[in-house]
Amino acid sequence: MQPGDVRIPAAELTTFAAAALEKAGAKRPHAQAVADHLVASNLAGHDSHGIGLLPAYLKHSREGLVDVNAEPETVHSAGAIVKLDGHDAWGRVAGEAAMKAAFPKADELGLCAVTLSNSHHLGRIGTYGEMAAQEGFAALFFVNVTDHDPMVAPYGGTDSRLGTNPVCIALPPTGTKPAFLLDMATSRIAMGKARVAANKGLRVPFGSIIDSNGLPTDDPSGFKGFEQKGALAPFGDHKGYGLAFAAELLAGVFSGGGTIQPGNERRGGIRNQMMAIVLSPDAFGDPAAMEREMDAMWDYALASPPADWDSPVIAPGDPERALKKRRSAEGVPLDPETLKQLNDAAKAAGIKRQLG
């Protein structure tokens, strides 16, 4: 938490966001689902995908970049494959629909490959991984983004040509261990993290951003207020670049929703495509033996002597669980700039209530 930040209870943020979204035309159940999704991201520590996105969502609703009345539709279902078209519906609504379409097939056939095209911003992809894990499934997710200019430079390049293209892998909990959750952008930092840092006047790791002249920098000011001057760098150099490229192709091509190449429309919105592979562990062997092996591997990895004894080795998913517990009790921290953006956006939408 930085000087000047304020903590606001999650319930207050959710009520505020839902009211603004409903005022902007969202159906009440959709407004509530999207608001819950945004604030849940804050609770998990992913402020880049949290309520700070509400001004952009409200702007998209005004400009017709999200269809506030749309419902996702299953357009193809054969064997272990199911394809959905989001029809520009709210991402949280479309993402949940994709998961609900995949689960019965994975349960019956052992696995399901589900694609989703033309969805508004899906938000934190880890949410859908958590959905799968809670239902006892493992899942892999590959996501790309279209409808706006690219944000990430290819390895060795000096301008943006890709999206942040998140990848997520989730495995269900065992009898003694929580769910495994790896959820990451394929850029060194997410676009939202650059925006949050810019709003707070903070620096980012050097080289995670390329400035408008194509040079590495630690100054995120070009990303303040949903602007973009410069590009994000891929994580892990050529490795992250390759993974981002793979997510672009798997999500954009297999879904039919398209990739970020300029032959596809760029209206200035956020449109996601997704490829998810949902697996039923029961179809792959003895569930009890699999759980024992997972527990043993978990214990072995976390028993490594820590480099810093004040920071023990943890498992993917542990930071989110810890922050959720703390922020649920103490409130969600918001910096003054984000708070101002939220209040200004809500006021423009016709909401008199102000945060802070």
Side-chain angles (χ1 to χ4, degrees), residues 202-294:
L202 301 175
R203 296 281 171 166
V204 296
F206 185 81
S208 61
I209 289 178
I210 297 171
D211 67 20
S212 56
N213 295 316
L215 299 174
T217 182
D218 60 359
D219 180 6
S221 59
F223 297 85
K224 187 175 182 178
F226 303 99
E227 300 172 357
Q228 182 183 338
K229 297 176 181 178
L232 303 176
F235 91 91
D237 298 330
H238 59 286
K239 297 177 182 179
Y241 163 55
L243 192 55
F245 211 145
E248 188 75 50
L249 298 176
L250 287 168
V253 174
F254 280 74
S255 71
T259 64
I260 205 166
Q261 58 89 8
N264 292 318
E265 184 178 41
R266 294 179 184 172
R267 303 172 301 167
I270 306 175
R271 181 182 282 163
N272 282 142
Q273 279 66 237
M274 179 172 72
M275 157 77 84
I277 301 170
V278 180
L279 309 168
S280 172
D282 291 355
F284 287 81
D286 178 356
M290 294 171 73
E291 284 202 3
R292 287 195 298 271
E293 189 64 25
M294 289 172 65

Side-chain angles (χ1 to χ4, degrees), residues 259-345:
T259 64
I260 205 166
Q261 58 89 8
N264 292 318
E265 184 178 41
R266 294 179 184 172
R267 303 172 301 167
I270 306 175
R271 181 182 282 163
N272 282 142
Q273 279 66 237
M274 179 172 72
M275 157 77 84
I277 301 170
V278 180
L279 309 168
S280 172
D282 291 355
F284 287 81
D286 178 356
M290 294 171 73
E291 284 202 3
R292 287 195 298 271
E293 189 64 25
M294 289 172 65
D295 285 349
M297 185 61 219
W298 192 289
D299 291 339
Y300 176 63
L302 271 58
S304 177
D308 178 354
W309 285 100
D310 291 326
S311 300
V313 178
I314 58 176
D318 281 348
E320 288 87 348
R321 283 183 282 268
L323 266 178
K324 182 178 180 180
K325 183 177 180 180
R326 179 179 177 183
R327 289 185 171 188
S328 293
E330 299 178 358
V332 173
L334 293 178
D335 64 88
E337 181 63 27
T338 298
L339 193 64
K340 181 180 183 301
Q341 291 170 357
L342 288 169
N343 285 329
D344 289 349

Side-chain angles (χ1 to χ4, degrees), residues 11 24-25 43 51 65 104 115 120 135 144 170 185 195 197 227 233 239-240 257 260 266 276 295 313 317 333 337:
L43 288 175
I51 196 171
L65 298 174
T115 66
H120 187 249
E135 294 295 323
N144 81 326
R195 172 180 55 80
E227 300 172 357
K239 297 177 182 179
I260 205 166
R266 294 179 184 172
D295 285 349
V313 178
E337 181 63 27

Side-chain angles (χ1 to χ4, degrees), residues 147-162:
D147 209 24
H148 65 65
D149 292 337
M151 298 167 285
V152 180
Y155 177 64
T158 58
D159 68 353
S160 53
R161 301 286 167 137
L162 295 162

